């Protein structure tokens, strides 16, 4: 009874907490690609530098009240601010509903925040900054010590090699295998594309992004992320190129597709993998 009440409270708090985190992520998305501090100065209008009062910085509400414009100069505020806040709030609420007070909630809340920031940065700047991907890898490895990755690949490989890999080493091994598999596969594809076409098809930022994803999700869900990201990139990106008349040299934000599919894998990846493996049994 007490646990259910606590989980209900977490679920009710998760959405507004996600809105607040989304507001912070907007600062990260705007400033990190520009090499600016995410701490100072305070939030301000990008047009007139007017520092926002607290009531101008309330997630969702301030954007709606100001009708998407700066109160001081009337300059337009990007709809991205509203979208990121709402999306982050919904993701956090979904995580609370899926995992309750389980430590996975806190692990995936950090993971989701990283994915959302990187997704929107890549969408706008075609950039996946080391300032997020490298600490993200470290965070994933740290979490693997506290919260089991539960991938199972490390234990199976150790068994095939006649090793008894158990205890605290098992989860970090799954995280490292996920990082190596995700980064290695994308690096191989990018290198092969370069040798065949003599132009860059994948940036090294995508490789580091998948290393980050691997430390959090393990090998199976990381490979699923790459598959779903490639599928989404082909379908959505291909449709975009056809509709806009752009040629094949146009740079699509592949990191955006990977980031969104990594979020999908965090929520439903295990069910998708289990469904796929069970379908092979027939």
């Amino acid at each position: 009874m007490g646990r259910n009440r606590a989980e209900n409270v977490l679920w009710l708090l998760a959405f507004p907490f996600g809105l607040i985190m989304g507001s912070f992520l907007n600062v990260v998305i705007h400033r990190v690609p520009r090499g600016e501090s995410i701490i100072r100065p305070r939030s301000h209008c990008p047009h007139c530098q007017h520092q926002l009062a607290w009531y101008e910085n309330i997630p969702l509400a301030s954007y709606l009240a100001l009708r998407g414009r700066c109160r001081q100069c009337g300059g337009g505020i990007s709809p991205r601010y509203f979208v990121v806040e709402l999306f982050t709030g919904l993701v956090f609420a979904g995580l609370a509903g899926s995992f309750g007070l389980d430590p996975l909630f806190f692990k995936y809340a950090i993971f989701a925040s990283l994915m959302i920031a990187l997704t929107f940065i890549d969408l706008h700047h075609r950039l996946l900054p080391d300032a997020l991907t490298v600490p993200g890898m470290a965070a994933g490895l740290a979490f693997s010590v506290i919260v089991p990755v539960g991938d199972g690949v490390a234990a199976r490989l150790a068994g095939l090699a006649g090793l008894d890999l158990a205890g605290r080493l098992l989860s970090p091994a799954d995280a490292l295998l996920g990082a190596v598999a995700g980064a290695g596969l994308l690096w191989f594809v990018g290198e092969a594309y370069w040798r065949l076409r003599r132009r860059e098809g994948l940036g090294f930022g995508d490789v580091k992004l998948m290393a980050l994803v691997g430390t959090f999700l393990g090998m199976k869900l990381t490979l699923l992320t790459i598959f779903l990201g490639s599928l989404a990139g082909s379908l959505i990106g291909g449709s975009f190129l056809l509709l806009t008349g752009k040629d094949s040299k146009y740079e699509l934000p592949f990191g955006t597709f990977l980031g969104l599919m990594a979020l999908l894998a965090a929520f439903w990846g295990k069910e998708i993998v289990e469904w796929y493996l069970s379908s092979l049994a027939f």
Side-chain angles (χ1 to χ4, degrees):
M1 180 76 69
R3 180 178 173 84
N4 289 337
R5 186 180 297 115
E7 289 179 351
N8 289 336
V9 170
L10 176 63
W11 188 85
L12 290 173
L13 292 176
F15 181 69
F17 179 64
L19 295 181
I20 295 170
M21 178 58 77
S23 181
F24 171 71
L25 292 180
N26 272 319
V27 175
V28 172
I29 293 165
H30 180 78
R31 296 188 186 184
V32 167
R34 296 171 171 82
E36 299 173 357
S37 169
I38 60 174
I39 301 173
R40 291 188 176 87
R42 287 170 44 195
S43 296
H44 56 273
C45 171
H47 305 292
C48 68
Q49 308 306 311
H50 161 65
Q51 287 196 345
L52 303 183
W54 68 267
Y55 52 83
E56 296 175 287
N57 211 20
I58 302 173
L60 301 186
S62 293
Y63 186 91
L64 293 174
L66 294 169
R67 298 182 180 180
R69 296 196 171 274
C70 172
R71 185 171 63 90
Q72 189 76 13
C73 69
I77 303 171
S78 172
R80 186 203 75 217
Y81 288 87
F82 185 90
V83 171
V84 169
E85 289 170 355
L86 179 60
F87 184 54
T88 308
L90 292 173
V91 168
F92 273 47
L95 289 174
S98 298
F99 304 113
L101 282 176
D102 192 281
L104 272 174
F105 167 79
F106 301 99
K107 172 181 176 176
Y108 282 154
I110 297 297
F111 178 68
S113 298
L114 287 165
M115 290 301 103
I116 292 169
L118 288 164
T119 290
F120 281 90
I121 289 173
D122 194 53
L123 180 63
H124 287 274
H125 299 281
R126 304 299 191 270
L127 177 69
L128 295 165
D130 289 350
L132 294 179
T133 55
V134 175
M137 293 178 215
L141 287 173
F143 267 114
S144 72
V145 177
I146 305 168
V147 184
V149 175
D151 185 64
V153 173
R156 178 164 295 187
L157 291 178
L160 292 174
L163 301 174
D164 183 18
L165 188 63
R168 291 184 177 274
L169 292 177
L170 188 58
S171 182
D174 272 330
L176 287 171
L177 281 172
V180 171
L185 178 58
L186 275 202
W187 177 85
F188 176 80
V189 171
E191 184 68 14
Y193 188 87
W194 167 258
R195 292 182 181 277
L196 290 172
R197 302 291 297 273
R198 287 300 169 185
R199 61 188 178 92
E200 190 175 274
L202 289 171
F204 204 65
D206 297 312
V207 173
K208 285 179 277 191
L209 171 63
M210 292 316 302
L212 187 168
V213 172
T215 61
F216 275 90
L217 301 186
M219 182 185 292
K220 292 177 186 174
L221 299 189
T222 298
L223 296 179
L224 175 66
T225 296
I226 293 175
F227 171 75
L228 294 176
S230 301
L231 182 63
S234 298
L235 295 176
I236 299 173
S239 299
F240 174 80
L241 294 179
L242 286 174
L243 291 173
T244 58
K246 297 182 182 296
D247 61 31
S248 60
K249 293 183 180 180
Y250 180 80
E251 184 181 358
L252 291 168
F254 188 42
T256 295
F257 298 111
L258 290 174
L260 291 174
M261 292 305 105
L263 284 176
L264 186 150
F267 275 103
W268 301 294
K270 289 184 179 179
E271 289 79 2
I272 294 173
V273 170
E274 288 173 3
W275 168 81
Y276 176 73
L277 292 177
S278 65
S279 69
L280 294 179
F282 288 100

